């Protein structure tokens, strides 16, 4: 499709939030032609009696703000409640070959899917099919593959409710596979691997109340203004109390600099912007392990100094601290002078609760400042300053997002952050803790109810006993491995509970080619995307309700539940009439697939479960009693049901029985071999303020001042000059891969941007063809989307631009 968007690139001068935010909400309500009655649903968003926003997973306060939604939550709801429809006429008018040339934006913009569809090879179109036929045919095809059940993959994107997710994992396991990859494999999987080793839980340890008691907020690798705007309420309140917020981010994200609360009329009128960060440290991407090592090293040096000073009189202080000429040196001395060693590091906590301190401390003492500075891009005095502030703060919280998890050393990034917290006992006390800011609104909950490829994380014995089947005990496929096995031809069928794997996953052209070779693709979805337009030999598109719609079943309107980033379970009730009378709910579709695929079994009454979701919640509570006790009663209470998190109580469910200091293996979290090549930039793939993952709402990244295009590459002035290029030039990006596969995306426009030399940024998903499938975290296999080694070359004239953008 042609495109006549006007491109403007101008620095944004306003704060995050503010009038720009309100204007943006109004624009999307109009653009999506949302009915006024539906727009009123925004007032019910994230309230105890309302529905839980599908945008992010941030906590829902017990006493909500009058408008407990943000610009992007409103966009997500408007996108769902649009009056646009991709119905029979739409699919009659467009062949799938034609739709392949449409952008992500255009595909979803077509509107809500209205009826089940089946691919017809004779017409190259999706055509309507009734639900019963669709289920029966899919069931027959799945049964044909069941003798080797690992040929089928059951993918889930983190939006589906606990009820739908529970039923889905049970379907997969009774079918015979643990192939339950989740969007989480591309997201916080590094957290799910790192935290259990470090502190014995897979989720963060903080609650909303902790924000009211904290003395210092360390904020890493996350963009709150776009990704989690409701978090700005907590950050702003803390800033108002004078709590320092220290951010580490290669980009000076606008919300970290300034925020005006669009829901606080007083503040809007006076334009009193809260200065968000006390400092933003422009760490290079992949440089957080180095930065954190520097902070820990300085802290340990202070502790050594104080201990020596407290013992045999004057000691060689200068030897321990040879940077006395700078401010940071003095502040460290000042901090050290007033303290005993006991209260620089929390030695009582370390002795009673941790393991591995000595080895970790030795590792930090031995670390080389020059390497730390080079890899982090930050100066020693800056890191010593953070250490001094940290040493004088009693209650410290560390928050983080994708800039830590999506790296080759993603697990080590997270574990380093925990190491820092453990040095001063900042886990398991009020106002302190680790906060993994989750993405999809129920991604954490899906893992809690058994969507996992790792058999050891599912209560298989309990499932066996309760549902009378033999669960598969071997490892299933995570997302990257599922893509690899599609490429080798070992995977033949793919069922997706939401999501858009082809745009979200690495190595797009290779995965797309493999996808076309599948025997069967089944997508449960709300809107059309590339993973539907491209398809297997047999393909079905099963349209479902969205969370804000009324879900009426045999026993009446239903409630579903989700888990927030802060490990609270909340009930959610839709209030809007469904987009079409033919839609089914996700639990009903999963039940339909299960009934058509699996042998009848009185222990799994799929139809009765669908008729009344309370019965599904009763099953969830029976399978995980310690986690879900009281769910039915508390889910609609203000604050929801609080999930017990052992580390909050300083109970450490680790192998050592303690919280573990874990040494990193490298200072750089990216591809170590690409580090020294001056031609290589480390590319971050980013979200714009006008998208939700692969859902592109529009072409306006307000905070970064880019409008009309998404095909930009943000580069530092130094890197632009070093290549003899200039702002606005057209360039191609090529991955510096070592596997012989050429990965190029053409036609980016250079935007000169304030970021450290060596770092570049481009938007996800347009840049995904640049990410090799093998470029992932060493342990968690999370794709390393935040440091892709690339080379920038002048654009080849006339060459095709990337899929999804016609500029
Ligand atoms: N509006 C909106 N909301 C969303 C989403 C969306 O797409 N749109 N997606 C949802 C999902 S699934 C998720 S997971 C979250 C994602 O939310 P975020 O965690 O904010 O993810 P990104 O937007 O990818 O941005 C990561 C941030 O990390 C910084 N960064 C990159 N590399 C590094 C690094 O090596 N070190 C440091 N310190 N910083 C780095 C980037 O500059 C950027 O500010 O948001 C959720 N909420
Ligand atoms: N380069 C790069 N790639 C990335 C990332 C990155 O930062 N950089 N981030 C990664 C991350 S953090 C994530 S979480 C993944 C996201 O990967 P996915 O979760 O697979 O992708 P989404 O874009 O969230 O999925 C959007 C589609 O979900 C469907 N959908 C929307 N709402 C519903 C619903 O209520 N029910 C159902 N059944 N379907 C629905 C719609 O059809 C929509 O087109 O992408 C990853 N990919
Ligand atoms: Mo995510």
């Amino acid at each position: 499709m042609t495109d006549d968007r006007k491109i403007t690139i101008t620095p944004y001068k306003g704060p995050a939030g503010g009038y720009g935010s309100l204007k943006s909400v109004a624009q999307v309500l109009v653009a999506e032609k949302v009915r006024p009655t539906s727009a009123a649903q925004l007032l019910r968003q994230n309230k105890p009696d309302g529905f839980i926003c599908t945008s992010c997973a941030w906590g829902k306060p017990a006493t909500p703000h009058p408008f407990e939604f943000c610009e992007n939550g409103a966009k997500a709801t408007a996108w769902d409640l649009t009056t646009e429809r991709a119905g029979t006429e739409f699919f009659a008018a467009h062949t799938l070959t034609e739709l392949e040339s449409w952008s992500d934006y255009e595909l979803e913009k077509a509107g809500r899917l209205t009826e089940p569809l089946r691919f017809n090879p004779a017409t190259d179109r999706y055509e309507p099919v009734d639900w019963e036929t669709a289920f029966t045919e899919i069931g027959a095809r799945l049964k044909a593959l069941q003798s080797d059940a690992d040929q089928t993959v059951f993918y889930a994107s983190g939006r589906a409710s606990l009820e739908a997710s529970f039923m889905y994992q049970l379907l997969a396991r009774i079918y015979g596979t643990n192939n339950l990859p989740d969007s989480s494999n591309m997201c916080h999987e590094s957290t799910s691997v790192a935290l259990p080793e470090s502190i014995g839980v897979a989720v963060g340890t903080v609650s909303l109340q902790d924000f009211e008691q904290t003395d210092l907020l360390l904020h890493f690798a996350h963009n709150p203004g776009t990704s989690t705007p409701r978090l700005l309420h907590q950050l702003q309140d803390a800033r108002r109390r004078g709590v320092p917020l220290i951010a580490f981010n290669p980009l000076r994200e606008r919300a970290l600099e300034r925020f005006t609360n669009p829901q606080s009329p007083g503040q809007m009128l006076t334009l009193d912007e809260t200065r968000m960060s006390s400092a933003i440290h422009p760490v290079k991407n992949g440089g957080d392990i180095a930065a954190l090592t520097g902070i820990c090293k300085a802290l340990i040096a202070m502790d050594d100094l104080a201990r020596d000073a407290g013992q045999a009189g004057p000691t060689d202080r200068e030897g321990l601290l040879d940077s006395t000429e700078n401010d940071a040196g003095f502040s460290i001395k000042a901090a050290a002078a007033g303290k005993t060693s006991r209260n620089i590091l929390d030695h009582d906590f370390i002795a009673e609760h941790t393991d591995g301190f000595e080895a970790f401390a030795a590792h930090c003492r031995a670390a080389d400042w020059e390497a730390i500075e080079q890899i982090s891009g930050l100066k020693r005095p800056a890191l010593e300053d953070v250490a001094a502030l940290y040493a004088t703060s009693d209650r410290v919280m560390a928050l983080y997002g994708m800039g830590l998890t999506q790296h080759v050393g993603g697990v080590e990034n997270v574990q380093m952050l925990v190491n820092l917290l453990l040095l001063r006992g900042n886990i398991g006390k009020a106002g302190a803790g680790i906060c993994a800011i989750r993405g999809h609104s129920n991604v954490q909950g899906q893992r809690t109810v058994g969507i996992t490829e790792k058999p050891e994380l599912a209560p298989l014995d309990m499932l066996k006993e309760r549902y009378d089947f033999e669960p598969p005990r071997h490892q299933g496929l995570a997302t990257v491995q599922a893509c690899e096995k599609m490429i080798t031809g070992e995977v033949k069928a793919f069922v997706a509970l939401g999501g858009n794997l082809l745009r979200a996953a690495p190595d797009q052209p290779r995965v797309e080619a493999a996808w076309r070779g599948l025997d069967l693709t089944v997508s449960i979805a709300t809107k059309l995307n590339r993973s539907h337009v491209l398809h297997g030999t047999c393909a079905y598109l099963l349209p479902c309700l969205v969370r804000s719609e009324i879900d009426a079943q045999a026993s009446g309107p239903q409630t579903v539940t989700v888990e927030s980033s802060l490990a609270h379970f909340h009930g959610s009730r839709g209030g809007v009439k469904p987009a079409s009378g033919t839609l089914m709910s996700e639990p009903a579709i999963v039940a339909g697939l299960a009934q058509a695929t699996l042998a009848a079994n009185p222990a799994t009454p799929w139809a009765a479960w669908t008729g009344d979701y309370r019965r599904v919640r009763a099953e969830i509570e029976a399978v995980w009693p310690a986690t879900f006790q009281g769910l039915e009663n508390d889910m609609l209470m203000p604050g929801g049901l609080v999930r017990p998190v052992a580390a909050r109580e300083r109970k450490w469910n680790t192998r050592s029985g303690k919280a573990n200091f874990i040494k990193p293996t490298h200072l750089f979290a990216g591809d170590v071999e690409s580090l020294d090549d001056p031609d290589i930039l480390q590319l971050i793939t980013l979200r714009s303020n006008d998208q939700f993952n692969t859902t592109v709402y529009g072409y306006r990244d307000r905070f970064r001042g880019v409008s009309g295009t998404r095909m930009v590459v943000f580069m530092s002035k130094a890197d632009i000059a070093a290549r003899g290029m200039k702002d606005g030039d057209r360039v191609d990006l090529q991955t510096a891969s070592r596997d012989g596969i050429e990965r190029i995306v053409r036609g980016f426009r250079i935007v000169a941007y304030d970021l450290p030399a060596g770092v570049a940024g481009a938007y996800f998903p347009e840049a995904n063809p640049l990410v090799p499938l093998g470029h992932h975290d060493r342990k968690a296999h999370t794709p390393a989307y935040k440091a892709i080694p690339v080379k920038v070359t002048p654009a080849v004239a006339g060459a095709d631009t990337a899929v999804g953008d016609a500029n």
Side-chain angles (χ1 to χ4, degrees):
M1 290 185 101
T2 53
D3 202 318
D4 53 4
R5 276 176 266 123
K6 183 168 165 285
I7 298 174
T8 56
I9 313 243
T10 40
Y12 178 70
K13 303 231 165 52
Y19 285 112
S21 178
L22 286 186
K23 202 167 121 197
S24 187
V25 170
Q27 278 167 346
V28 73
L29 289 172
V30 173
E32 292 307 305
K33 305 191 186 84
V34 175
R35 292 191 186 90
T37 45
S38 301
Q41 288 300 313
L42 289 175
L43 297 173
R44 296 179 62 243
Q45 196 147 321
N46 298 325
K47 300 283 180 57
D49 63 341
F51 69 95
I52 299 295
C53 177
T54 48
S55 192
C56 79
W58 189 242
K60 310 347 173 210
T63 42
H65 296 76
F67 305 96
E68 190 59 41
F69 63 88
C70 66
E71 169 185 344
N72 287 324
K75 276 189 206 166
T77 302
W79 200 249
D80 280 352
L81 297 183
T82 178
T83 47
E84 306 282 358
R85 300 285 178 266
T88 315
E89 283 164 28
F90 175 87
F91 286 101
H94 304 290
T95 63
L96 295 188
T97 305
E98 180 202 338
L99 292 172
E100 273 184 36
S101 67
W102 287 29
S103 67
D104 298 312
Y105 172 75
E106 289 159 340
L107 289 174
E108 287 215 25
K109 187 79 180 118
R112 289 284 300 282
L113 299 167
T114 59
E115 59 194 327
L117 300 162
R118 175 180 56 194
F119 169 62
N120 179 354
T123 61
D124 186 29
R125 285 180 170 83
Y126 272 123
E127 292 172 356
V129 60
D130 64 83
W131 282 106
E132 216 33 63
T133 308
F135 288 144
T136 309
E137 291 180 2
I138 297 167
R141 294 191 185 281
L142 289 176
K143 275 192 272 194
L145 294 169
Q146 201 175 4
S147 57
D148 180 2
D150 290 336
Q151 297 176 104
T152 301
V153 166
F154 293 87
Y155 174 77
S157 162
R159 195 170 272 195
S161 63
L162 293 179
E163 291 78 358
S165 304
F166 172 79
M167 290 164 74
Y168 194 60
Q169 62 85 35
L170 197 55
L171 158 63
R173 293 207 162 92
I174 298 178
Y175 179 74
T177 184
N178 285 312
N179 286 350
L180 283 158
D182 185 284
S183 57
S184 176
N185 290 134
M186 296 182 271
C187 183
H188 264 290
E189 188 63 19
S190 311
T191 296
S192 308
V193 171
L195 292 185
E197 288 178 3
S198 289
I199 55 172
V201 292
V203 299
T205 67
V206 307
S207 69
L208 287 176
Q209 290 71 38
D210 288 319
F211 285 87
E212 294 162 19
Q213 290 164 284
T214 192
D215 298 327
L216 173 62
L217 291 160
L218 300 176
H219 183 274
F220 278 80
H222 170 254
N223 181 14
T226 289
S227 307
T228 321
R230 288 183 305 108
L231 162 65
L232 294 173
H233 290 308
Q234 280 78 37
L235 298 185
Q236 189 183 37
D237 290 348
R239 288 294 291 129
R240 290 233 169 93
R241 284 199 294 116
V243 173
L245 168 65
I246 308 292
F248 288 81
N249 198 311
L251 275 72
R252 307 182 65 82
E253 302 288 20
R254 180 41 51 108
L256 293 172
E257 293 189 312
R258 291 188 287 161
F259 172 64
T260 298
N261 190 341
Q263 301 180 353
S264 159
Q267 198 192 27
M268 293 279 286
L269 291 175
T270 59
L271 287 184
D272 153 31
E273 301 158 15
T274 306
R275 297 281 152 185
M276 288 307 276
S277 305
S278 318
I280 303 180
H281 294 282
V283 64
K284 286 189 189 175
N285 53 337
D288 301 86
I289 296 175
L292 285 159
T293 303
I295 299 168
C296 291
K297 181 179 172 72
L299 209 62
I300 290 164
M302 285 165 63
D303 186 67
D304 289 343
L305 188 68
R307 194 179 42 226
D308 288 353
Q311 282 170 2
T315 52
D316 180 16
R317 290 175 166 226
E318 307 311 312
L320 287 162
L321 261 185
D322 50 26
S323 67
T324 48
E325 294 310 306
N326 58 55
D327 291 350
F330 290 124
S331 59
I332 285 201
K333 272 192 173 173
K339 299 247 172 190
T340 64
S341 66
R342 177 153 299 229
N343 51 25
I344 290 184
L345 300 189
D346 187 340
H347 288 285
D348 291 343
F349 174 85
I350 291 172
E352 186 184 343
H353 289 287
T354 72
D355 197 47
F357 169 72
E358 281 310 331
F360 176 70
H363 170 83
C364 293
R365 286 189 192 102
D368 173 36
W369 273 115
E370 208 177 313
I372 289 172
E373 289 192 331
Q374 207 166 9
I375 291 169
S376 70
L378 302 175
K379 292 287 176 215
R380 173 175 175 177
L383 296 173
E384 288 179 335
D385 251 352
V386 177
L389 182 61
Y390 179 67
T392 48
S393 306
D394 284 335
R395 298 160 189 276
V396 182
M397 289 168 69
L399 300 84
Y400 67 95
M402 293 299 101
L404 286 198
T405 61
Q406 293 174 334
H407 278 296
V408 172
V411 168
E412 295 193 351
N413 266 332
V414 175
Q415 292 182 332
M416 263 316 286
L417 197 52
V418 174
N419 290 336
L420 176 65
L421 292 173
L422 292 178
L423 285 178
R424 286 184 43 81
N426 276 311
I427 302 242
K429 74 180 172 193
I434 182 100
C435 181
I437 304 168
R438 299 270 171 172
H440 267 301
S441 57
N442 192 37
V443 65
Q444 187 164 314
Q446 294 195 328
R447 295 309 217 188
T448 309
V449 295
I451 294 212
T452 169
E453 72 285 355
K454 298 187 180 105
E456 66 276 16
L457 297 184
L460 296 183
D461 291 334
M462 170 63 104
L463 295 180
K464 173 184 159 115
E465 190 188 326
R466 197 166 172 85
Y467 304 109
D468 192 21
F469 74 108
E470 197 50 61
R473 303 272 168 179
H474 57 283
Q475 183 75 25
L477 301 173
T479 301
V480 162
Q481 296 148 341
C483 292
E484 282 164 350
K485 297 264 178 189
M486 267 192 255
I487 292 171
T488 59
E490 289 160 86
V491 162
K492 299 206 162 57
F494 199 98
V495 183
L497 179 56
N500 184 4
L501 184 83
L502 292 191
R503 291 299 271 158
D507 255 344
Q508 187 183 335
R510 298 176 66 213
V511 178
E512 285 191 350
W515 186 259
R516 292 181 200 266
L518 294 174
D519 290 351
L520 174 68
T521 50
V522 179
S523 296
I524 303 168
T526 53
K527 288 200 172 176
L528 190 61
N529 66 42
R530 192 162 173 89
S531 307
H532 313 143
V533 171
L534 269 57
H535 54 82
T537 310
C538 299
Y540 297 82
L541 193 43
L542 307 179
C544 64
L545 296 172
V546 296
R547 210 181 280 154
S548 44
E549 287 172 333
I550 297 165
D551 181 352
Q553 301 295 344
S555 65
Q558 302 296 310
T559 304
V560 294
T561 42
V562 298
E563 178 177 355
S564 75
S565 272
L566 305 177
H568 291 215
F569 300 112
H570 298 274
S572 174
R573 277 188 195 152
V576 182
K577 195 165 155 260
S580 136
T582 326
L583 298 180
M584 282 176 75
S585 74
E586 289 173 326
I589 296 172
V590 174
L593 291 174
Q595 283 172 300
T597 310
L598 308 174
N601 173 353
T604 52
W606 300 100
W609 286 350
T610 307
D612 186 350
Y613 297 174
R614 281 176 298 190
R615 294 190 58 171
V616 184
R617 287 190 288 276
E619 296 300 321
I620 292 174
E621 193 174 327
V623 173
W624 294 272
T627 306
F628 287 104
Q629 199 172 22
L631 178 65
E632 195 60 46
N633 188 52
D634 289 358
M635 66 184 190
L636 291 172
M637 299 288 191
L641 173 72
V642 185
R643 167 179 173 183
V645 176
R648 266 184 199 159
E649 321 297 325
R650 295 193 168 174
K651 291 190 195 117
W652 316 105
N653 295 329
T654 57
R655 218 175 287 163
S656 66
K658 301 267 174 102
N660 292 312
F661 284 96
I662 300 174
K663 286 186 295 182
T665 57
H666 297 84
L667 279 181
F668 181 48
D671 170 43
V672 181
E673 286 179 49
S674 67
L675 197 54
D676 296 326
D677 184 339
D679 282 347
I680 290 180
L681 297 180
Q682 299 291 338
L683 179 76
I684 301 174
T685 53
L686 289 162
R687 292 164 163 77
S688 101
N689 187 50
D690 222 2
Q691 76 182 86
F692 187 92
N693 297 341
T694 70
T695 297
V696 176
Y697 300 129
Y699 290 81
R700 192 153 168 264
D701 193 2
R702 197 168 81 246
F703 301 145
R704 302 197 185 105
V706 174
S707 182
T709 180
R710 294 172 50 83
M711 287 301 289
V712 295
V713 54
F714 300 101
M715 287 169 66
S716 71
K717 291 206 172 94
D719 285 323
I720 299 173
R723 284 161 183 73
M725 296 174 172
K726 54 181 194 318
D727 186 48
D729 276 1
R730 288 285 168 154
V731 290
D732 298 340
L733 296 184
Q734 176 162 16
T735 310
S737 355
R738 279 183 298 272
D739 58 5
I741 298 173
E742 188 176 75
R743 297 178 178 87
I744 301 183
V745 180
R746 300 189 189 280
F748 290 92
R749 166 189 297 252
I750 293 182
V751 173
Y753 209 74
D754 180 10
L755 37 73
V759 181
Y763 291 120
F764 144 59
E766 286 78 357
N768 283 42
L770 295 170
V771 192
L773 262 179
H775 183 58
H776 54 63
D777 179 81
R778 295 183 196 95
K779 278 188 178 169
H781 295 194
T782 315
Y785 295 122
K786 293 294 188 264
I788 307 150
V790 295
K791 294 190 179 178
V792 185
T793 50
V796 174
D800 283 350
T801 54
V803 170
D805 194 285
N807 277 300

